Amino acid sequence: MSRKPIIAGNWKMNKNVQEAMAFVEEVKDQLPSTDKVDAVIGASPLLLNGVKFASADSNLKVAAQNCYFEDAGAFTGETSPKVLADMGMDYVIIGHSERREYFHETDEDINKKAHAIFRNNMTPIICCGESLETYEAGKAVEFVGAQVSAALKDLSAEQVASLVIAYEPIWAIGTGKSATSEDAENMCKAVRDVVVADFGQEVADKVRVQYGGSVNPSNIAEYMACPDVDGALVGGASLEPASFLALLNF
Ligand code: PGA
């Protein structure tokens, strides 16, 4: 089964407007063909409009890093998925461990957000991943499996086939302590097995599963060589144009 690789930069709450524009200007004409790889930048909300405009007519796709699950209403401070769609966003990253931990997002919220993103014709990148404690207790497969199952609840087979799941062990995020490619493969395979169980083999063969956690230009090839790893979600190493381009050319 050949799935198109998807490499997504997660800038988190980094860069100002000027820095974001300079980055896009530098990479936009050097991106690989969209037949080969989906190249995505996930920027913080205030940068999204500028990044989208600056990358128009290029191969760069743009992701929001979060959204709310209602389209409009009295939700002060929240980001509307409908407006993200209006702005031309392609993807929305949801359920990042930083959002789960610091902003108390639950599996149920993440599932509602996935539905809202599809309702607005965008594609969710759904993050999952276990803590060091869970990993060391040998409970990663069980824990991550439950996160994935909950996030995908009541989506259609067609929707699940089209979305992206990012497996990111919390202990590997921003620590420089990346998972071995064997661990990454086993966990991405375990994520796919959950999709097999919930939606069937055909859907599982289509869903793209990324590994994330201290991915950089030197280790990305190892992950991309794994049969169940279809891409990477990259924080720190996506911030510099040369590094982002090197990731895309894994
Ligand atoms: P990192 O972050 O690549 O800096 O470890 C990954 C992420 O949080 O998505």
Side-chain angles (χ1 to χ4, degrees), residues 8-12 93 96-98 127 166 168-170 172-178 211-216 232-239:
N10 173 15
W11 282 353
K12 310 192 179 188
I93 300 167
H96 192 281
S97 60
E98 288 150 17
C127 302
E168 299 198 302
I170 298 168
I173 295 177
T175 58
K177 190 173 172 279
S178 54
Y211 166 73
S214 296
V215 176
N216 61 50
L233 182 58
V234 187
S238 72
L239 290 167

Side-chain angles (χ1 to χ4, degrees), residues 130 135 141 167 169 171 178-190 211 219 221-229:
E130 81 287 356
Y135 174 77
V141 168
Y167 165 66
W171 46 269
S178 54
T180 62
S181 53
E182 193 188 347
D183 266 350
E185 166 59 20
N186 289 342
M187 288 305 297
C188 289
K189 167 87 170 49
Y211 166 73
N219 63 19
E222 276 175 56
Y223 297 117
M224 296 307 289
C226 299
D228 284 288
V229 178

